[in-house]
């Protein structure tokens, strides 16, 4: 009997996001929540990268010389700002359609980004190494969380960083991030998130700790309807971001 290779690909999730690929760069379309979320996560990434690598946060090319992997990159909403900051960016996604959309937009924007339709485990098997891995809003869509997190952690260089952003598996998140967001506010298409696939912080800690990574910062993120923007918060019950460093 042939042993089936382990994979992080969830075919249903890939198909769902592939079907929406043309809308990645429409700030009023199906990816509007990510466009709204982008400023707070970009601010967090820039602040922590500059702090850990001794860079000037005001430098428009603060990430020059750093090799960054944006895993589960979608249409490139994070990859493009990283490239503008001077980073050498590899952006990977399991959806060929997402990658093609991202390539076209980067070319139109005059940005050089190494886009690849590939999984984390395949990149890791190829011996790829990065100063920083952006693992943002993707872990809740993979088939095997432990394999995904482990393969990502193994690609982080010594003293390198990995950022993780996802949704906690709590009753509060089920109400706000799924029921309210998908059924009441209509921010997301129904079925975008499944409660059983949401990931608790400790489920991220364990597989990356086994690969020599330590959580050095964590923050909750919440939406303020009065400001119409996302802000950092002490409350990690719904959306949260983690920062891990390779020892």
């Amino acid at each position: 009997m042939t042993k089936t290779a382990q994979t992080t690909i969830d075919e249903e999730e890939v198909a769902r996001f592939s079907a929406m690929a043309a809308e990645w760069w429409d700030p009023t379309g199906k990816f509007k929540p990510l466009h709204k979320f982008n400023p707070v996560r970009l601010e967090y990434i820039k602040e922590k990268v500059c702090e850990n690598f001794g860079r000037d946060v005001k430098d428009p090319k603060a990430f020059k010389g750093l090799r960054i992997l944006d895993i589960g990159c979608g249409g490139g909403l994070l990859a493009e700002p990283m490239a503008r900051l001077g980073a050498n960016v590899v952006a990977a996604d399991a959806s060929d359609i997402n990658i093609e959309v991202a390539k076209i937009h980067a070319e139109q924007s005059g940005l050089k980004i190494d886009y690849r339709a590939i999984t984390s485990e395949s990149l890791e098997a190829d011996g790829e190494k990065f100063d920083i891995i952006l693992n943002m809003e993707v872990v809740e869509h993979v088939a095997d969380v432990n394999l995904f997190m482990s393969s990502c952690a193994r690609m982080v260089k010594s003293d390198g960083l990995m950022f993780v952003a996802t949704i906690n598996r709590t009753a509060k998140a089920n109400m706000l991030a799924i029921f309210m967001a998908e059924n009441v506010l209509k921010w997301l298409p129904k079925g975008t998130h499944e409660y059983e696939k949401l990931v608790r912080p400790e489920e991220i800690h364990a597989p990356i700790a086994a690969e020599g990574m330590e959580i050095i910062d964590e923050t909750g993120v919440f939406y303020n309807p009065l400001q119409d923007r996302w802000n950092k918060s002490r409350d990690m019950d719904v959306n949260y971001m983690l920062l891990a460093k390779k020892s």
Side-chain angles (χ1 to χ4, degrees):
M1 182 181 291
T2 304
K3 185 178 179 181
T4 303
Q6 285 184 293
T7 179
T8 59
I9 294 177
D10 183 316
E11 297 291 354
E12 289 186 5
E13 294 284 356
V14 172
R16 179 180 294 120
F17 283 93
S18 293
M20 300 188 290
E23 297 193 49
W24 272 107
W25 287 96
D26 179 0
T28 63
K30 292 178 180 176
F31 294 102
K32 179 180 178 179
L34 277 182
H35 284 271
K36 289 282 189 184
F37 195 54
N38 235 15
V40 70
R41 62 181 184 172
L42 286 172
E43 181 182 13
Y44 184 70
I45 291 166
K46 189 173 184 182
E47 174 193 340
K48 295 302 179 182
V49 167
C50 290
E51 183 181 298
N52 280 272
F53 286 94
R55 305 298 178 91
D56 182 357
V57 73
K58 296 179 181 179
D59 183 355
K61 295 294 181 183
F63 291 4
K64 186 176 181 180
L66 295 174
R67 191 166 193 247
I68 294 180
L69 170 65
D70 181 10
I71 188 71
C73 65
L77 300 187
L78 274 179
E80 290 200 9
M82 297 300 104
R84 288 192 178 93
L85 283 166
N88 175 5
V89 182
V90 175
D93 199 281
S95 167
D96 295 283
I97 299 175
N98 282 347
I99 290 298
E100 289 309 309
V101 169
K103 283 181 178 179
I104 291 168
H105 196 274
E107 185 177 345
Q108 292 172 341
S109 302
L111 295 171
K112 184 179 179 182
I113 297 171
D114 183 359
Y115 279 111
R116 307 182 196 179
I118 193 171
T119 63
S120 61
E121 62 269 25
S122 294
L123 281 167
E124 192 259 324
D126 289 341
E128 293 282 7
K129 295 291 182 182
F130 301 91
D131 298 295
I132 300 160
I133 292 183
L134 304 181
N135 191 330
M136 312 293 276
E137 289 75 45
V138 62
V139 68
E140 71 270 26
H141 300 294
V142 303
D144 188 328
V145 172
N146 285 341
L147 174 61
F148 179 66
M149 295 308 307
S150 297
S151 59
C152 287
R154 285 192 287 268
M155 289 189 283
V156 180
K157 295 178 182 178
S158 179
D159 293 324
L161 304 175
M162 178 160 62
F163 292 84
V164 182
T166 189
I167 303 171
N168 208 338
R169 193 169 69 255
T170 63
K172 187 174 178 179
N174 192 28
M175 173 58 69
L176 297 178
I178 297 181
F179 180 77
M180 288 293 293
E182 296 182 11
N183 297 282
V184 180
L185 298 174
K186 309 291 185 183
W187 282 353
L188 300 165
K190 288 185 180 181
T192 298
H193 294 112
E194 299 173 38
Y195 178 74
E196 295 75 15
K197 297 191 72 175
L198 301 184
V199 184
R200 292 175 178 150
E202 59 268 25
E203 294 167 342
I204 291 172
H205 292 191
I208 66 173
E211 304 301 334
M213 298 203 76
E214 177 187 1
I215 302 294
I216 61 171
D217 192 70
E218 57 185 23
T219 181
V221 191
F222 81 102
Y223 176 72
N224 186 320
L226 298 178
Q227 296 178 325
D228 188 27
R229 61 166 289 171
W230 290 82
N231 299 302
K232 290 190 296 182
S233 166
R234 293 180 181 178
D235 184 357
M236 294 177 56
D237 286 349
V238 185
N239 294 82
Y240 66 92
M241 295 189 289
L242 305 177
L243 175 60
K245 187 169 185 175
K246 176 71 74 72
S247 58

